[in-house]
Amino acid sequence: STDFPERKRNIPIIAMTAHVLDGVAEKCLYAGMNDSISKPVNLNVLNQKIRMVLNMRIESTQPEAISKNESTQLINLENLKTLTRNNPVKLKKYVDMFLKNIPIDLKLLNEHNDSKNWTELKKIAHKIKGNLGYMGVTTIEGEIVYLEQLDEVNANEQEINSKVKVVEKEIMLILIELKGLNF
Protein backbone atom coordinates (compact mmCIF):
# COMPACT_ATOMS: atom_id res chain seq x y z
CA SER A 1 0.00 0.00 0.00
CA THR A 2 1.22 3.51 -0.74
CA ASP A 3 -0.23 4.78 2.56
CA PHE A 4 2.85 3.57 4.43
CA PRO A 5 6.16 5.47 4.57
CA GLU A 6 8.68 4.15 2.05
CA ARG A 7 10.77 2.34 4.69
CA LYS A 8 7.74 0.29 5.81
CA ARG A 9 6.57 -0.88 2.38
CA ASN A 10 8.91 -3.84 2.04
CA ILE A 11 9.62 -5.11 5.53
CA PRO A 12 11.42 -8.46 5.29
CA ILE A 13 9.63 -11.35 7.03
CA ILE A 14 11.13 -14.67 8.02
CA ALA A 15 8.50 -17.24 9.00
CA MET A 16 9.15 -19.45 12.00
CA THR A 17 7.51 -22.85 11.87
CA ALA A 18 7.48 -25.99 13.98
CA HIS A 19 6.97 -28.05 10.83
CA VAL A 20 9.86 -29.29 8.74
CA LEU A 21 7.61 -31.19 6.35
CA ASP A 22 8.10 -30.86 2.63
CA GLY A 23 6.23 -27.96 1.15
CA VAL A 24 6.05 -25.76 4.27
CA ALA A 25 8.92 -23.50 3.13
CA GLU A 26 7.29 -23.13 -0.29
CA LYS A 27 3.95 -22.22 1.34
CA CYS A 28 5.70 -19.54 3.40
CA LEU A 29 7.30 -18.05 0.30
CA TYR A 30 3.98 -18.21 -1.58
CA ALA A 31 2.30 -16.36 1.31
CA GLY A 32 4.78 -13.51 0.89
CA MET A 33 7.47 -14.39 3.40
CA ASN A 34 11.09 -13.80 2.42
CA ASP A 35 12.34 -17.00 4.05
CA SER A 36 11.49 -19.51 6.75
CA ILE A 37 13.20 -21.27 9.64
CA SER A 38 12.07 -24.24 11.68
CA LYS A 39 12.09 -24.72 15.44
CA PRO A 40 14.18 -25.16 17.45
CA VAL A 41 15.86 -22.06 16.05
CA ASN A 42 19.60 -22.12 15.54
CA LEU A 43 20.74 -18.50 16.10
CA ASN A 44 23.60 -18.81 13.63
CA VAL A 45 21.23 -20.01 10.90
CA LEU A 46 18.76 -17.25 11.78
CA ASN A 47 21.55 -14.66 11.65
CA GLN A 48 22.56 -15.90 8.19
CA LYS A 49 18.96 -15.82 6.95
CA ILE A 50 18.49 -12.27 8.23
CA ARG A 51 21.68 -11.16 6.50
CA MET A 52 20.53 -12.76 3.25
CA VAL A 53 17.08 -11.21 3.49
CA LEU A 54 18.61 -7.81 4.16
CA ASN A 55 20.98 -8.28 1.20
CA MET A 56 23.97 -8.04 3.47
CA ARG A 57 27.23 -9.89 3.00
CA ILE A 58 27.36 -13.07 5.04
CA GLU A 59 30.55 -13.39 6.99
CA SER A 60 31.64 -16.53 8.75
CA THR A 61 29.95 -16.95 12.11
CA GLN A 62 31.76 -17.93 15.25
CA PRO A 63 29.33 -19.99 17.34
CA GLU A 64 32.03 -20.88 19.85
CA ALA A 65 32.66 -17.18 20.48
CA ILE A 66 29.05 -16.62 21.43
CA SER A 67 29.06 -19.43 23.96
CA LYS A 68 32.42 -18.31 25.37
CA ASN A 69 31.21 -14.71 25.68
CA GLU A 70 34.08 -13.43 23.54
CA SER A 71 34.23 -10.96 20.69
CA THR A 72 31.79 -11.97 17.97
CA GLN A 73 30.87 -10.70 14.55
CA LEU A 74 29.38 -7.27 15.24
CA ILE A 75 30.09 -6.62 18.90
CA ASN A 76 33.32 -6.49 20.86
CA LEU A 77 32.81 -6.52 24.60
CA GLU A 78 36.50 -6.25 25.54
CA ASN A 79 36.25 -2.62 26.69
CA LEU A 80 33.04 -3.36 28.58
CA LYS A 81 34.73 -6.34 30.24
CA THR A 82 37.54 -4.04 31.35
CA LEU A 83 35.05 -1.45 32.60
CA THR A 84 33.16 -4.08 34.61
CA ARG A 85 36.36 -5.88 35.68
CA ASN A 86 34.96 -8.91 33.85
CA ASN A 87 32.18 -9.22 36.43
CA PRO A 88 29.47 -11.29 34.66
CA VAL A 89 26.66 -9.72 36.73
CA LYS A 90 27.71 -6.17 35.80
CA LEU A 91 28.40 -7.18 32.20
CA LYS A 92 24.92 -8.70 31.91
CA LYS A 93 23.43 -5.53 33.44
CA TYR A 94 24.98 -3.36 30.69
CA VAL A 95 23.87 -5.76 27.96
CA ASP A 96 20.34 -5.95 29.40
CA MET A 97 20.12 -2.15 29.55
CA PHE A 98 21.21 -1.98 25.91
CA LEU A 99 18.65 -4.62 24.91
CA LYS A 100 15.93 -2.68 26.73
CA ASN A 101 16.83 0.84 25.58
CA ILE A 102 18.15 0.56 22.02
CA PRO A 103 14.82 -0.54 20.45
CA ILE A 104 13.19 2.55 21.99
CA ASP A 105 16.01 4.76 20.69
CA LEU A 106 15.76 3.18 17.25
CA LYS A 107 12.01 3.85 17.18
CA LEU A 108 12.65 7.50 18.08
CA LEU A 109 15.34 7.76 15.39
CA ASN A 110 12.82 6.57 12.80
CA GLU A 111 10.08 8.87 14.10
CA HIS A 112 12.37 11.91 13.97
CA ASN A 113 13.47 10.90 10.49
CA ASP A 114 9.85 10.52 9.31
CA SER A 115 8.89 13.93 10.77
CA LYS A 116 12.15 15.51 9.52
CA ASN A 117 12.91 16.73 13.05
CA TRP A 118 16.66 16.92 12.48
CA THR A 119 17.43 18.51 15.87
CA GLU A 120 15.92 15.58 17.77
CA LEU A 121 17.35 13.07 15.27
CA LYS A 122 20.84 14.38 16.02
CA LYS A 123 20.26 14.03 19.78
CA ILE A 124 19.04 10.44 19.56
CA ALA A 125 21.87 9.54 17.16
CA HIS A 126 24.31 10.84 19.79
CA LYS A 127 22.67 8.65 22.44
CA ILE A 128 22.74 5.58 20.16
CA LYS A 129 26.41 6.25 19.39
CA GLY A 130 27.27 6.10 23.09
CA ASN A 131 25.33 2.88 23.61
CA LEU A 132 26.93 1.24 20.57
CA GLY A 133 30.31 2.28 21.95
CA TYR A 134 29.71 0.25 25.12
CA MET A 135 29.03 -2.81 22.95
CA GLY A 136 32.17 -2.20 20.90
CA VAL A 137 30.22 -1.75 17.66
CA THR A 138 32.22 0.02 14.95
CA THR A 139 30.48 -1.24 11.79
CA ILE A 140 28.04 1.68 11.62
CA GLU A 141 30.20 4.34 13.22
CA GLY A 142 30.29 6.42 10.02
CA GLU A 143 26.50 6.42 9.65
CA ILE A 144 25.94 7.35 13.31
CA VAL A 145 28.49 10.18 13.20
CA TYR A 146 26.87 11.49 10.01
CA LEU A 147 23.45 11.57 11.70
CA GLU A 148 24.85 13.02 14.91
CA GLN A 149 26.63 15.87 13.08
CA LEU A 150 23.92 16.47 10.51
CA ASP A 151 23.80 19.89 8.87
CA GLU A 152 20.17 20.78 9.59
CA VAL A 153 20.08 23.69 7.13
CA ASN A 154 21.32 21.70 4.14
CA ALA A 155 19.88 18.30 5.15
CA ASN A 156 19.90 15.73 2.37
CA GLU A 157 16.77 13.68 3.09
CA GLN A 158 17.74 10.83 0.78
CA GLU A 159 21.15 10.50 2.42
CA ILE A 160 19.62 10.67 5.90
CA ASN A 161 17.05 7.98 5.01
CA SER A 162 19.83 5.78 3.68
CA LYS A 163 21.92 6.18 6.84
CA VAL A 164 18.92 5.50 9.11
CA LYS A 165 18.12 2.29 7.17
CA VAL A 166 21.69 1.03 7.52
CA VAL A 167 21.67 1.80 11.25
CA GLU A 168 18.32 0.06 11.69
CA LYS A 169 19.40 -3.10 9.86
CA GLU A 170 22.68 -3.36 11.74
CA ILE A 171 21.08 -2.77 15.14
CA MET A 172 18.60 -5.58 14.48
CA LEU A 173 21.52 -7.93 13.87
CA ILE A 174 23.36 -6.62 16.94
CA LEU A 175 20.28 -7.32 19.09
CA ILE A 176 20.17 -10.92 17.87
CA GLU A 177 23.86 -11.34 18.57
CA LEU A 178 23.58 -9.92 22.09
CA LYS A 179 20.55 -12.07 22.90
CA GLY A 180 22.62 -15.11 21.99
CA LEU A 181 25.29 -14.42 24.61
CA ASN A 182 25.60 -16.59 27.70
CA PHE A 183 26.71 -15.06 30.96
Side-chain angles (χ1 to χ4, degrees), residues 120-178:
E120 292 302 314
L121 184 136
K122 288 170 66 170
K123 289 178 186 175
I124 202 70
H126 177 73
K127 184 178 177 193
I128 290 171
K129 179 181 154 190
N131 287 323
L132 291 175
Y134 279 118
M135 298 302 125
V137 175
T138 59
T139 53
I140 50 174
E141 192 171 32
E143 287 82 0
I144 289 291
V145 169
Y146 175 90
L147 295 171
E148 178 189 35
Q149 299 176 357
L150 186 62
D151 177 358
E152 296 178 48
V153 178
N154 300 307
N156 179 333
E157 290 179 34
Q158 187 175 4
E159 187 71 14
I160 295 167
N161 288 333
S162 173
K163 302 289 185 193
V164 168
K165 283 180 185 179
V166 170
V167 167
E168 183 176 37
K169 287 177 183 178
E170 198 75 359
I171 285 177
M172 299 310 262
L173 296 171
I174 290 162
L175 290 173
I176 290 168
E177 191 170 316
L178 284 171

Side-chain angles (χ1 to χ4, degrees), residues 9 11 14-15 33-34 50 56 63 67 77-78 98 110 115 133 142-143 146 151 154 171 177 182:
R9 288 187 192 159
I11 296 175
I14 298 175
M33 308 294 168
N34 297 84
I50 289 170
M56 297 180 73
S67 62
L77 299 181
E78 290 309 310
F98 182 90
N110 277 307
S115 65
E143 287 82 0
Y146 175 90
D151 177 358
N154 300 307
I171 285 177
E177 191 170 316
N182 298 314

